[in-house]
Amino acid sequence: TSNKKHHHQRCNSCPNYTDSEILNNSPLRSEKKSNSCCFLPCVRIFFPRGLSNLGNTCYMNSALQCLTHTSPLRKYFLKTRDSTQWQRKVSPVYTDFLDDMWNSDKNVIDPTNLKRVIAQIAPRFGGRTQEDAQELLTFLLDGLHEDENSIREKPYIKMAVDEEGKTNKEIAKEWWDKHLLRNKSEIVNIFHGQVRVQITCSKGHVTQMFEPISQLTLPIPQTSRSSTDCKYGKNIHTTQENSEYPTLHHCLELYTQEKQTSSFCEKCNDMITSSRKVRIWKMSQIVIVHLKRFTTCSLFGHQKVDTMVEFPKSLSLDNFIANPEDKKDMYDLYAVINHTGGLYYGHYYAFVKHNNFWYCCDDANVKKMSDQPRDIVTRNAYVLFYQKREQTLT
């Protein structure tokens, strides 16, 4: 591996920074001014800015770095700022933050204003205690959705659908249309998908629900190599070639496997033993995969699962999608929230991809990193961000 150190240099021709390797190795280097990233027409080259730690806010900084590199979300807010007529709380401040992250000439951005407005919708994030990055991510996206939601007066909706004589496709569309009667925003367009939940009672009555989701929360299978004795879900012995550890594929298998439960059956009019099976129906443009590392078990109570989970840089969900029309899509990894430490202590940092380079964003410190899987795929991975690959016409 190379031991070269890369740093950011200021362009002499525009208020922009670029990586020294990009600057010095450009084929147009001789045509540019010294230390200039500009040629005609001027090209602005972005590099990830760092974020000030405001006191145990690494959880927030890691989530913000990943959202900053969520291309469709960033483009939407920077393009449509202040375009709506109603009063908004989070969106204007988030847009200002994105503008700083994308266009500022500073190396490190102060997210104080954004933290303050997040605390207004979720007071738990107002202090200086360590919080959960995935929970902040959820609250922030919900806040942005409510600001951008064009449905200002939400009608009461009964989600049950009459299934008589209808195909699954028709039933799923009815569920989705009802979701849109209360939720219509770019957050829905970018992040929301749909899963089919099928419940079969012990007397054979089947109930289907096509529920909207914004993240895939996946349990982690435990193996003999796991660092915790708390058995969450199914124990497995990995047999996949070249893999000592459970993979994201195993997590998806555990998520979609049939589980025994007790639920109320309307046809039996009673609580009854049932089987519950989840399948993905359709996925969104951005797929957020939340690995369930913080769990509860009867033996130890709350527990962090440190099991290494191997995940691909290119993801196919075909084996877990029930809707045949939504198959054959590929998703590319572009960001990872990592957590090192235990249940009540630790540190968050992010890996983000931009212009085909990977960067490690650790609060104010940003450094270029290798794109080798062994460097990106670690046991500290907590939340994974995938973007649907654009299909090319053949």
Side-chain angles (χ1 to χ4, degrees):
T1 58
S2 172
N3 291 321
K4 279 186 180 180
K5 291 185 177 179
H6 307 291
H7 61 280
H8 300 122
Q9 294 179 226
R10 180 69 178 271
C11 171
N12 287 340
S13 302
C14 72
N16 206 29
Y17 287 84
T18 184
D19 188 284
S20 59
E21 183 184 43
I22 298 173
L23 184 68
N24 295 325
N25 293 339
S26 169
L28 300 178
R29 182 74 177 86
S30 60
E31 301 177 21
K32 300 181 290 177
K33 299 177 183 179
S34 176
N35 288 348
S36 174
C37 71
C38 295
F39 24 98
L40 297 177
C42 179
V43 176
R44 295 178 65 87
I45 301 177
F46 170 84
F47 75 91
R49 273 75 174 179
L51 289 168
S52 299
N53 191 312
L54 308 177
N56 288 321
T57 56
C58 57
Y59 70 93
M60 179 182 73
N61 290 347
S62 62
L64 292 178
Q65 287 286 8
C66 294
L67 285 185
T68 296
H69 290 83
T70 300
S71 175
L73 183 71
R74 180 185 70 247
K75 290 177 180 177
Y76 168 75
F77 277 105
L78 292 181
K79 182 179 180 181
T80 61
R81 67 184 303 166
D82 301 329
S83 62
T84 54
Q85 301 301 314
W86 51 82
Q87 184 67 35
R88 299 182 298 168
K89 294 181 180 179
V90 186
S91 293
V93 181
Y94 181 70
T95 303
D96 289 341
F97 166 78
L98 277 179
D99 192 49
D100 283 342
M101 288 292 281
W102 201 252
N103 298 315
S104 173
D105 60 357
K106 297 178 181 179
N107 284 320
V108 179
I109 304 302
D110 183 345
T112 297
N113 290 339
L114 184 55
K115 182 178 186 294
R116 185 181 299 118
V117 78
I118 292 173
Q120 291 176 8
I121 60 171
R124 62 183 298 177
F125 300 114
R128 295 182 181 273
T129 58
Q130 179 71 275
E131 299 291 346
D132 186 282
Q134 183 269 338
E135 292 179 358
L136 177 128
L137 178 72
T138 301
F139 275 104
L140 177 54
L141 288 176
D142 284 350
L144 292 172
H145 163 64
E146 291 303 330
D147 272 4
E148 301 300 311
N149 193 359
S150 62
I151 310 297
R152 306 316 294 171
E153 295 184 10
K154 298 184 179 182
Y156 171 76
I157 300 294
K158 185 178 180 181
M159 292 305 294
V161 170
D162 180 14
E163 301 183 6
E164 188 69 30
K166 298 176 184 175
T167 65
N168 278 342
K169 180 180 177 181
E170 293 169 331
I171 298 168
K173 185 178 184 303
E174 283 194 42
W175 275 80
W176 186 254
D177 289 343
K178 289 189 175 187
H179 177 57
L180 296 182
L181 288 176
R182 293 173 55 87
N183 303 278
K184 190 175 292 186
S185 75
E186 196 64 19
I187 305 301
V188 173
N189 296 339
I190 294 172
F191 294 99
H192 285 204
Q194 195 175 24
V195 294
R196 184 187 71 188
V197 181
Q198 191 173 68
I199 299 175
T200 306
C201 80
S202 57
K203 295 184 179 179
H205 300 136
V206 179
T207 302
Q208 282 195 128
M209 296 169 286
F210 288 83
E211 298 177 344
I213 59 167
S214 59
Q215 301 178 31
L216 275 176
T217 296
L218 304 183
I220 300 174
Q222 297 303 296
T223 72
S224 57
R225 299 190 61 121
S226 300
S227 61
T228 173
D229 292 322
C230 179
K231 294 180 173 60
Y232 183 85
K234 171 183 168 186
N235 280 332
I236 67 167
H237 297 283
T238 58
T239 57
Q240 183 169 322
E241 188 178 357
N242 301 324
S243 176
E244 300 179 74
Y245 305 97
T247 65
L248 193 60
H249 189 277
H250 291 126
C251 296
L252 285 159
E253 283 182 339
L254 186 54
Y255 174 72
T256 56
Q257 79 174 11
E258 190 173 287
K259 300 175 180 67
Q260 295 302 307
T261 185
S262 179
S263 62
F264 182 80
C265 176
E266 290 188 356
K267 294 177 181 177
C268 298
N269 196 30
D270 197 7
M271 290 294 294
I272 195 166
T273 301
S274 309
S275 65
R276 184 178 188 274
K277 188 174 180 63
V278 177
R279 295 280 288 182
I280 298 169
W281 184 256
K282 70 173 182 177
M283 287 313 299
S284 47
Q285 187 177 356
I286 299 295
V287 176
I288 300 177
V289 178
H290 165 219
L291 297 175
K292 200 170 181 180
R293 293 207 175 274
F294 301 100
T295 66
T296 303
C297 68
S298 57
L299 187 59
F300 296 107
H302 297 293
Q303 186 82 10
K304 182 186 177 186
V305 180
D306 282 321
T307 305
M308 169 75 172
V309 175
E310 295 190 349
F311 51 92
K313 293 170 75 174
S314 295
L315 174 66
S316 169
L317 295 170
D318 283 3
N319 292 339
F320 310 99
I321 291 182
N323 179 9
E325 294 183 7
D326 230 40
K327 293 189 176 182
K328 297 185 179 178
D329 285 325
M330 292 296 297
Y331 296 84
D332 295 314
L333 183 75
Y334 69 90
V336 182
I337 295 176
N338 300 282
H339 179 267
T340 180
L343 186 64
Y344 301 107
Y345 65 94
H347 181 63
Y348 287 95
Y349 58 97
F351 298 152
V352 298
K353 186 179 182 181
H354 182 77
N355 281 345
N356 294 320
F357 291 101
W358 280 91
Y359 296 86
C360 177
C361 302
D362 188 351
D363 288 331
N365 300 311
V366 177
K367 63 180 181 180
K368 196 175 191 181
M369 58 184 292
S370 162
D371 64 352
Q372 296 300 311
R374 66 176 178 272
D375 296 315
I376 299 167
V377 182
T378 73
R379 68 170 55 251
N380 297 327
Y382 180 37
V383 184
L384 315 175
F385 294 76
Y386 287 90
Q387 181 166 353
K388 183 183 292 187
R389 185 181 302 171
E390 293 184 4
Q391 295 184 358
T392 55
L393 298 177
T394 56

